[in-house]
Amino acid sequence: MTPANFDFHCHSIVSDGFLPPAVVAQRAAANGVDLWALTDHDDISGLSEARGAAEAAGMAFVNGVEISIEWRGVPIHVVGLGFDAANPALTGGLDELRLGRVERAKRMGEALAAIGIPGVYEGALTFVTNPSLISRAHFARYMVSINIARDVPGIFQHYLTPGKPGYVDHRWATLDDAVGWIAGAGGVAVVAHPGRYKMSGADMRHFLGDFKDAGGQGIEVTCGSHSPDHVMHFARLARHFSFHASRGSDFHGPDESYVDLGKLPPLPEDLKPVWRLVI
């Protein structure tokens, strides 16, 4: 097939999205997506439901996940596509990451209580469908609900980013771990939303070189958080490193997303689309 509209980055209630996997699938199909991947954070338990709903809606489906890693102290996300969801190394690695998320969330709650905002861990759990995937987004949503700040970005800015009182560091997977799990399961590793990382141009090139050396094959060029300048910049880097290019909305829900499913502009025409590697 040659898809006209593929979206390879979005989330459901399995991680920090607002909608069940089947509803995300239906929304994607209604928006004209014809090739779709669900990429929940560090969890693949929604894939079976997502695949069934996608096929019922007439969409082709690719297994996906977004894995949290750390490279030289910088938190980065790597999307895995087209892997065997039963691969034991992949599933075991994701299990370990989810266990670490719970421990980190409890420490975040303690840190916020220490500055006079008690009960945030417990409150965040009321916004969570999958307790093992509790995240900073759930903390932020709860804190908005109790009027600590006006919106989620405001909570992140003042409380939940490095150097702020509610931020707790955590040891995520390594680059080699994540790419190894994905490739070992027969999948393709893709750098998620590279424009969001706080690193210099030189550091980004160094990271992309390490990513390629580890076996990474793709980079998100067109994604929800990328400006037109980002698209041009990361298109150049895709060409330089001979990466396949991905496209993903990073949709979480109707009221908390950069762009809706399938509503991104197309990739630059000369790039190699990553779907060629997974269908």
Side-chain angles (χ1 to χ4, degrees), residues 122-138:
E122 293 77 10
L125 283 173
T126 66
F127 285 75
V128 174
T129 301
N130 180 353
S132 68
L133 260 294
I134 188 169
S135 71
R136 289 182 297 163
H138 299 118

Side-chain angles (χ1 to χ4, degrees), residues 148-172:
I148 300 297
R150 189 165 41 186
D151 54 29
V152 166
I155 295 291
F156 270 84
Q157 179 182 356
H158 295 290
Y159 295 97
L160 300 180
T161 53
K164 301 303 180 181
Y167 181 82
V168 173
D169 200 11
H170 177 68
R171 186 180 181 278
W172 300 110

Side-chain angles (χ1 to χ4, degrees), residues 1 21 37-38 49 69 71 76 82 98 106 111 119-120 128-129 139-140 161 167 189 191 208 241 267 271 277:
M1 65 174 295
L38 179 68
E49 178 186 335
I69 75 160
W71 178 84
I76 293 173
R98 291 195 301 277
K106 291 177 179 177
V120 180
V128 174
T129 301
F139 274 68
T161 53
Y167 181 82
V191 180
L208 292 177
F241 286 95
L267 290 171
L271 299 183
L277 299 177

